[in-house]
Amino acid sequence: MSGPADTAWRVGSVSSISKETPSAARIVLDVDGWPGNDAGQHLDIRLTAPDGYTATRSYSIASAGPGMVVDLAVDKLPDGEVSPFLVDDVMAGDKLEVHGPLGGWFVWRPDAASSPVQLIGGGSGVVPLIAMLRSHHDTADATPFRLLYSLRSPEDTFFPEVLKDADVDYVYTRRAPDGWPTPAGRLTKDVLAASVFAAAEKPRVFLCGSTGFVETVAAWLVELGHDPRMIRTERFGGT
């Protein structure tokens, strides 16, 4: 879609901002000159204070394809420098400097590959995977897709309207919905094995979350027989 990473800084206008989870906001930007982006890419946002101090952070893009609309979901970190401003202070009509799209490794493009795609997201690490699910749906791609989503509680679900039509296995780590068949708890190797495409199916795996989550799950996948060369990982860390 976008080819090589774009090096230009552009000004995006916030067309809408809404509460996504108790700690996160969904921000929709109209970015004049945006070249479109592939599913899984990210961008940088740069904030500049009145005294000239700047802070730049990277955020995954939850949308994909052509056009100048960019969909983001930003989770606020209490000790963060940028995310609290984006979640609590930004309003529709505000202008934000953006740089991108960036990244070409953690990317899914519609293709005719026969191997299935396994998505694994922890918390807000699901955001770039949402872009992949959207692209998969919008292009009517026939590749089998499956998502394993580890999150704290039902209220912490990102983009539920996208997930309702996807093949999703949920792992609730702190509180499960009423009547959920399994108690809340951290993802385990056994649950992982039961919730992803088997290694024999040679899936392409896209894994995103905190550093500890990604490293643990990636190691488990290899122990379960998955080819490390088929596992692509990305850590979130925007503050």
Side-chain angles (χ1 to χ4, degrees), residues 76-116:
K76 180 174 69 174
L77 300 182
D79 58 349
E81 187 175 29
V82 173
S83 60
F85 174 80
L86 295 176
V87 173
D88 295 333
D89 298 321
V90 166
M91 301 174 61
D94 286 349
K95 307 296 185 182
L96 295 173
E97 285 188 287
V98 300
H99 176 210
L102 303 169
W105 167 252
F106 195 80
V107 164
W108 179 81
R109 301 180 180 92
D111 57 34
S114 58
S115 59

Tab-separated table of all heavy atoms in Angstrom, residues 76-116:
chain	number	residue	atom	x	y	z
A	76	LYS	N	-3.612	5.368	28.101
A	76	LYS	CA	-2.904	6.315	28.971
A	76	LYS	C	-2.051	5.593	30.006
A	76	LYS	O	-2.536	4.729	30.733
A	76	LYS	CB	-3.916	7.224	29.686
A	76	LYS	CG	-3.273	8.242	30.605
A	76	LYS	CD	-4.284	9.219	31.173
A	76	LYS	CE	-5.238	8.567	32.147
A	76	LYS	NZ	-6.129	9.557	32.793
A	77	LEU	N	-0.793	5.963	30.057
A	77	LEU	CA	0.099	5.481	31.103
A	77	LEU	C	0.201	6.568	32.169
A	77	LEU	O	0.518	7.722	31.846
A	77	LEU	CB	1.480	5.164	30.536
A	77	LEU	CG	1.515	4.087	29.447
A	77	LEU	CD1	2.955	3.849	29.003
A	77	LEU	CD2	0.885	2.788	29.927
A	78	PRO	N	-0.086	6.253	33.433
A	78	PRO	CA	-0.133	7.286	34.480
A	78	PRO	C	1.126	8.126	34.569
A	78	PRO	O	1.062	9.319	34.861
A	78	PRO	CB	-0.360	6.474	35.760
A	78	PRO	CG	-1.036	5.213	35.291
A	78	PRO	CD	-0.440	4.915	33.951
A	79	ASP	N	2.292	7.525	34.322
A	79	ASP	CA	3.541	8.275	34.402
A	79	ASP	C	4.047	8.671	33.028
A	79	ASP	O	5.207	9.043	32.857
A	79	ASP	CB	4.611	7.459	35.138
A	79	ASP	CG	4.873	6.111	34.465
A	79	ASP	OD1	4.089	5.728	33.563
A	79	ASP	OD2	5.852	5.438	34.833
A	80	GLY	N	3.171	8.614	32.029
A	80	GLY	CA	3.570	8.936	30.676
A	80	GLY	C	3.712	10.432	30.437
A	80	GLY	O	3.181	11.255	31.188
A	81	GLU	N	4.397	10.758	29.363
A	81	GLU	CA	4.631	12.160	29.019
A	81	GLU	C	3.684	12.622	27.910
A	81	GLU	O	3.286	13.786	27.880
A	81	GLU	CB	6.081	12.333	28.552
A	81	GLU	CG	6.488	13.785	28.333
A	81	GLU	CD	7.970	13.902	27.999
A	81	GLU	OE1	8.535	12.961	27.412
A	81	GLU	OE2	8.555	14.943	28.333
A	82	VAL	N	3.318	11.713	27.005
A	82	VAL	CA	2.502	12.078	25.849
A	82	VAL	C	1.091	11.513	25.949
A	82	VAL	O	0.109	12.208	25.675
A	82	VAL	CB	3.182	11.602	24.546
A	82	VAL	CG1	2.268	11.822	23.336
A	82	VAL	CG2	4.508	12.334	24.339
A	83	SER	N	0.973	10.236	26.335
A	83	SER	CA	-0.343	9.597	26.312
A	83	SER	C	-1.379	10.283	27.208
A	83	SER	O	-2.556	10.383	26.806
A	83	SER	CB	-0.231	8.107	26.659
A	83	SER	OG	0.311	7.902	27.950
A	84	PRO	N	-1.046	10.784	28.414
A	84	PRO	CA	-2.080	11.472	29.197
A	84	PRO	C	-2.645	12.693	28.485
A	84	PRO	O	-3.857	12.967	28.568
A	84	PRO	CB	-1.342	11.859	30.483
A	84	PRO	CG	-0.253	10.849	30.610
A	84	PRO	CD	0.196	10.611	29.207
A	85	PHE	N	-1.789	13.437	27.782
A	85	PHE	CA	-2.273	14.597	27.038
A	85	PHE	C	-3.211	14.158	25.917
A	85	PHE	O	-4.282	14.747	25.720
A	85	PHE	CB	-1.098	15.381	26.462
A	85	PHE	CG	-1.516	16.510	25.563
A	85	PHE	CD1	-1.940	17.726	26.100
A	85	PHE	CD2	-1.513	16.362	24.187
A	85	PHE	CE1	-2.343	18.767	25.274
A	85	PHE	CE2	-1.918	17.396	23.346
A	85	PHE	CZ	-2.330	18.598	23.902
A	86	LEU	N	-2.824	13.117	25.177
A	86	LEU	CA	-3.648	12.663	24.059
A	86	LEU	C	-5.001	12.143	24.538
A	86	LEU	O	-6.027	12.377	23.890
A	86	LEU	CB	-2.917	11.573	23.271
A	86	LEU	CG	-1.635	12.001	22.550
A	86	LEU	CD1	-0.972	10.800	21.889
A	86	LEU	CD2	-1.910	13.081	21.517
A	87	VAL	N	-5.019	11.449	25.662
A	87	VAL	CA	-6.266	10.857	26.160
A	87	VAL	C	-7.146	11.890	26.861
A	87	VAL	O	-8.371	11.917	26.671
A	87	VAL	CB	-5.946	9.679	27.107
A	87	VAL	CG1	-7.231	9.157	27.770
A	87	VAL	CG2	-5.258	8.549	26.338
A	88	ASP	N	-6.549	12.762	27.666
A	88	ASP	CA	-7.334	13.649	28.533
A	88	ASP	C	-7.561	15.050	27.977
A	88	ASP	O	-8.553	15.707	28.324
A	88	ASP	CB	-6.655	13.782	29.900
A	88	ASP	CG	-6.613	12.475	30.667
A	88	ASP	OD1	-7.495	11.630	30.430
A	88	ASP	OD2	-5.699	12.303	31.486
A	89	ASP	N	-6.671	15.532	27.136
A	89	ASP	CA	-6.714	16.944	26.768
A	89	ASP	C	-7.054	17.220	25.306
A	89	ASP	O	-7.552	18.304	24.988
A	89	ASP	CB	-5.371	17.618	27.088
A	89	ASP	CG	-5.056	17.574	28.571
A	89	ASP	OD1	-5.975	17.737	29.377
A	89	ASP	OD2	-3.875	17.351	28.920
A	90	VAL	N	-6.752	16.305	24.421
A	90	VAL	CA	-7.002	16.548	22.999
A	90	VAL	C	-8.498	16.617	22.732
A	90	VAL	O	-9.291	15.853	23.292
A	90	VAL	CB	-6.341	15.447	22.145
A	90	VAL	CG1	-6.866	15.465	20.716
A	90	VAL	CG2	-4.833	15.612	22.146
A	91	MET	N	-8.896	17.534	21.847
A	91	MET	CA	-10.298	17.731	21.495
A	91	MET	C	-10.443	17.724	19.972
A	91	MET	O	-9.476	17.945	19.233
A	91	MET	CB	-10.808	19.067	22.050
A	91	MET	CG	-10.698	19.193	23.560
A	91	MET	SD	-11.161	20.846	24.153
A	91	MET	CE	-12.866	20.930	23.601
A	92	ALA	N	-11.662	17.467	19.515
A	92	ALA	CA	-11.937	17.537	18.085
A	92	ALA	C	-11.568	18.920	17.566
A	92	ALA	O	-11.853	19.938	18.198
A	92	ALA	CB	-13.401	17.232	17.821
A	93	GLY	N	-10.906	18.940	16.432
A	93	GLY	CA	-10.448	20.185	15.845
A	93	GLY	C	-9.004	20.510	16.146
A	93	GLY	O	-8.408	21.357	15.465
A	94	ASP	N	-8.410	19.865	17.147
A	94	ASP	CA	-7.004	20.093	17.457
A	94	ASP	C	-6.117	19.571	16.324
A	94	ASP	O	-6.501	18.678	15.561
A	94	ASP	CB	-6.616	19.392	18.762
A	94	ASP	CG	-7.163	20.096	19.993
A	94	ASP	OD1	-7.665	21.230	19.860
A	94	ASP	OD2	-7.090	19.505	21.084
A	95	LYS	N	-4.916	20.120	16.252
A	95	LYS	CA	-3.946	19.709	15.247
A	95	LYS	C	-2.819	18.933	15.922
A	95	LYS	O	-2.342	19.303	16.998
A	95	LYS	CB	-3.359	20.924	14.529
A	95	LYS	CG	-4.389	21.878	13.942
A	95	LYS	CD	-5.205	21.236	12.841
A	95	LYS	CE	-6.143	22.255	12.205
A	95	LYS	NZ	-6.999	21.655	11.154
A	96	LEU	N	-2.405	17.842	15.292
A	96	LEU	CA	-1.303	17.033	15.795
A	96	LEU	C	-0.310	16.785	14.670
A	96	LEU	O	-0.702	16.491	13.534
A	96	LEU	CB	-1.816	15.685	16.323
A	96	LEU	CG	-2.737	15.705	17.537
A	96	LEU	CD1	-3.279	14.305	17.811
A	96	LEU	CD2	-2.005	16.232	18.769
A	97	GLU	N	0.978	16.879	14.997
A	97	GLU	CA	2.015	16.558	14.023
A	97	GLU	C	2.217	15.045	13.976
A	97	GLU	O	2.417	14.405	15.026
A	97	GLU	CB	3.335	17.221	14.412
A	97	GLU	CG	3.407	18.707	14.148
A	97	GLU	CD	4.814	19.222	14.372
A	97	GLU	OE1	5.199	19.306	15.554
A	97	GLU	OE2	5.526	19.517	13.389
A	98	VAL	N	2.179	14.480	12.783
A	98	VAL	CA	2.352	13.035	12.637
A	98	VAL	C	3.418	12.746	11.589
A	98	VAL	O	3.607	13.506	10.635
A	98	VAL	CB	1.022	12.341	12.261
A	98	VAL	CG1	-0.033	12.573	13.326
A	98	VAL	CG2	0.511	12.798	10.905
A	99	HIS	N	4.089	11.640	11.779
A	99	HIS	CA	5.195	11.218	10.929
A	99	HIS	C	4.959	9.761	10.560
A	99	HIS	O	4.905	8.890	11.428
A	99	HIS	CB	6.510	11.384	11.692
A	99	HIS	CG	7.722	10.891	10.969
A	99	HIS	ND1	8.831	10.399	11.632
A	99	HIS	CD2	8.014	10.812	9.651
A	99	HIS	CE1	9.753	10.050	10.754
A	99	HIS	NE2	9.271	10.289	9.540
A	100	GLY	N	4.802	9.501	9.276
A	100	GLY	CA	4.576	8.125	8.877
A	100	GLY	C	3.863	8.043	7.541
A	100	GLY	O	3.728	9.043	6.849
A	101	PRO	N	3.419	6.844	7.190
A	101	PRO	CA	3.461	5.612	7.983
A	101	PRO	C	4.860	5.020	8.072
A	101	PRO	O	5.679	5.212	7.187
A	101	PRO	CB	2.510	4.682	7.217
A	101	PRO	CG	2.620	5.155	5.795
A	101	PRO	CD	2.767	6.650	5.870
A	102	LEU	N	5.083	4.265	9.143
A	102	LEU	CA	6.387	3.700	9.427
A	102	LEU	C	6.276	2.196	9.621
A	102	LEU	O	5.262	1.691	10.095
A	102	LEU	CB	6.972	4.341	10.690
A	102	LEU	CG	7.121	5.870	10.668
A	102	LEU	CD1	7.458	6.378	12.063
A	102	LEU	CD2	8.165	6.303	9.656
A	103	GLY	N	7.352	1.503	9.300
A	103	GLY	CA	7.424	0.068	9.562
A	103	GLY	C	7.040	-0.770	8.358
A	103	GLY	O	6.051	-0.484	7.674
A	104	GLY	N	7.827	-1.815	8.098
A	104	GLY	CA	7.519	-2.719	7.005
A	104	GLY	C	7.640	-4.185	7.371
A	104	GLY	O	7.378	-5.061	6.547
A	105	TRP	N	8.020	-4.442	8.616
A	105	TRP	CA	8.224	-5.823	9.066
A	105	TRP	C	6.946	-6.406	9.662
A	105	TRP	O	6.501	-7.481	9.273
A	105	TRP	CB	9.359	-5.875	10.086
A	105	TRP	CG	9.466	-7.165	10.841
A	105	TRP	CD1	9.162	-7.394	12.151
A	105	TRP	CD2	9.904	-8.432	10.321
A	105	TRP	NE1	9.378	-8.708	12.481
A	105	TRP	CE2	9.835	-9.374	11.386
A	105	TRP	CE3	10.328	-8.857	9.075
A	105	TRP	CZ2	10.184	-10.708	11.214
A	105	TRP	CZ3	10.681	-10.188	8.902
A	105	TRP	CH2	10.611	-11.098	9.965
A	106	PHE	N	6.351	-5.680	10.598
A	106	PHE	CA	5.153	-6.158	11.285
A	106	PHE	C	3.921	-5.718	10.477
A	106	PHE	O	3.131	-4.882	10.898
A	106	PHE	CB	5.095	-5.598	12.709
A	106	PHE	CG	4.122	-6.301	13.610
A	106	PHE	CD1	4.454	-7.503	14.218
A	106	PHE	CD2	2.870	-5.752	13.862
A	106	PHE	CE1	3.554	-8.152	15.059
A	106	PHE	CE2	1.975	-6.384	14.700
A	106	PHE	CZ	2.312	-7.592	15.293
A	107	VAL	N	3.785	-6.293	9.291
A	107	VAL	CA	2.764	-5.845	8.347
A	107	VAL	C	2.114	-7.051	7.695
A	107	VAL	O	2.791	-8.024	7.336
A	107	VAL	CB	3.400	-4.941	7.258
A	107	VAL	CG1	2.483	-4.778	6.067
A	107	VAL	CG2	3.741	-3.577	7.840
A	108	TRP	N	0.794	-6.992	7.570
A	108	TRP	CA	0.073	-8.004	6.797
A	108	TRP	C	-0.557	-7.338	5.583
A	108	TRP	O	-1.191	-6.287	5.692
A	108	TRP	CB	-1.026	-8.675	7.625
A	108	TRP	CG	-1.785	-9.694	6.801
A	108	TRP	CD1	-1.397	-10.984	6.525
A	108	TRP	CD2	-3.022	-9.503	6.107
A	108	TRP	NE1	-2.314	-11.598	5.715
A	108	TRP	CE2	-3.319	-10.720	5.437
A	108	TRP	CE3	-3.904	-8.417	5.980
A	108	TRP	CZ2	-4.471	-10.878	4.661
A	108	TRP	CZ3	-5.046	-8.569	5.211
A	108	TRP	CH2	-5.330	-9.792	4.567
A	109	ARG	N	-0.363	-7.977	4.426
A	109	ARG	CA	-0.982	-7.513	3.192
A	109	ARG	C	-1.830	-8.637	2.612
A	109	ARG	O	-1.437	-9.801	2.679
A	109	ARG	CB	0.081	-7.086	2.180
A	109	ARG	CG	1.001	-5.975	2.659
A	109	ARG	CD	2.035	-5.614	1.601
A	109	ARG	NE	2.923	-4.538	2.061
A	109	ARG	CZ	4.075	-4.749	2.670
A	109	ARG	NH1	4.491	-5.987	2.910
A	109	ARG	NH2	4.823	-3.722	3.054
A	110	PRO	N	-2.977	-8.307	2.047
A	110	PRO	CA	-3.809	-9.342	1.411
A	110	PRO	C	-2.998	-10.087	0.362
A	110	PRO	O	-2.282	-9.486	-0.432
A	110	PRO	CB	-4.944	-8.537	0.771
A	110	PRO	CG	-4.995	-7.267	1.545
A	110	PRO	CD	-3.575	-6.966	1.943
A	111	ASP	N	-3.107	-11.409	0.398
A	111	ASP	CA	-2.377	-12.220	-0.571
A	111	ASP	C	-3.090	-13.553	-0.732
A	111	ASP	O	-4.116	-13.817	-0.112
A	111	ASP	CB	-0.921	-12.413	-0.151
A	111	ASP	CG	-0.778	-13.040	1.235
A	111	ASP	OD1	-1.624	-13.875	1.608
A	111	ASP	OD2	0.181	-12.693	1.949
A	112	ALA	N	-2.522	-14.386	-1.568
A	112	ALA	CA	-3.133	-15.680	-1.845
A	112	ALA	C	-2.423	-16.812	-1.101
A	112	ALA	O	-2.564	-17.975	-1.450
A	112	ALA	CB	-3.114	-15.957	-3.346
A	113	ALA	N	-1.651	-16.468	-0.077
A	113	ALA	CA	-0.917	-17.497	0.669
A	113	ALA	C	-1.886	-18.483	1.308
A	113	ALA	O	-2.955	-18.106	1.790
A	113	ALA	CB	-0.053	-16.843	1.736
A	114	SER	N	-1.503	-19.738	1.310
A	114	SER	CA	-2.395	-20.765	1.849
A	114	SER	C	-2.276	-20.909	3.360
A	114	SER	O	-3.181	-21.436	3.999
A	114	SER	CB	-2.096	-22.114	1.186
A	114	SER	OG	-0.730	-22.478	1.404
A	115	SER	N	-1.166	-20.458	3.939
A	115	SER	CA	-0.988	-20.638	5.374
A	115	SER	C	-1.873	-19.672	6.147
A	115	SER	O	-2.021	-18.505	5.766
A	115	SER	CB	0.475	-20.439	5.761
A	115	SER	OG	0.910	-19.156	5.400
A	116	PRO	N	-2.476	-20.117	7.247
A	116	PRO	CA	-3.349	-19.241	8.032
A	116	PRO	C	-2.555	-18.175	8.782
A	116	PRO	O	-1.327	-18.245	8.883
A	116	PRO	CB	-4.039	-20.209	8.997
A	116	PRO	CG	-3.089	-21.355	9.126
A	116	PRO	CD	-2.403	-21.477	7.806
